[in-house]
Amino acid sequence: MCYNVVKRGDEEMAWIKKTYSKYEEFIVYVFFGALATAVDGSVYYLLYNYVNWGELAQWSASISKATAWTVAMLFAFFTNKPFVFKSHDWSANVVLQQFAKFLGCRVGTGLLDIGTLLITVDILGWNGNIMYILSAVVVALLNYVGSKLLFKKK
């Protein structure tokens, strides 16, 4: 009986390893994407809720989002490069080329994200925290699709 338990455990472990290997890029992308989203959300939340913007108060959501987006985008690039896309060449020429492509993919969704908050929160007065979450979901999906198209294997 003990042999059957060990054998079944070995089979399950083999299945887990095979499944992870098959979906490794997606799993790692989602993991680091979740971390980048946490960075973005933390920076936005702190800036939007705790900074005294003074004369810029009417633009607090979009300024907070632009700052959070910049920090999260840099975090995403420097984690995705080695861990998701398995690129370990850190020479200046290679990093600049890869960063330009990565940035190009992110600028569109970043502008959409910031624009959404500018219109819905700063102009229309909707709840900044709720709109942040809704916008983040749309942007995460668009970033995933964009990255898959940009970095797809040939």
Side-chain angles (χ1 to χ4, degrees), residues 49-104:
N49 291 293
Y50 294 107
V51 171
N52 180 355
W53 291 99
E55 292 180 16
L56 298 174
Q58 67 182 5
W59 309 111
S60 62
S62 51
I63 294 170
S64 298
K65 181 58 200 173
T67 305
W69 177 85
T70 302
V71 172
M73 189 270 306
L74 290 169
F75 174 85
F77 176 76
F78 286 106
T79 56
N80 284 341
K81 177 179 169 34
F83 299 116
V84 177
F85 305 122
K86 302 205 184 285
S87 175
H88 302 289
D89 185 345
W90 291 95
S91 63
N93 189 42
V94 170
V95 170
L96 289 175
Q97 286 178 1
Q98 290 174 335
F99 184 72
K101 289 179 184 177
F102 191 83
L103 181 62

Side-chain angles (χ1 to χ4, degrees), residues 15-35 80 83-84 86 144 148:
W15 178 85
I16 290 170
K17 288 179 180 179
K18 181 181 176 185
T19 303
Y20 177 80
S21 179
K22 183 176 180 180
Y23 298 106
E24 178 180 5
E25 182 181 282
F26 177 76
I27 292 167
V28 175
Y29 185 88
V30 168
F31 175 75
F32 283 107
L35 290 179
N80 284 341
F83 299 116
V84 177
K86 302 205 184 285
Y144 176 73
K148 287 302 289 179

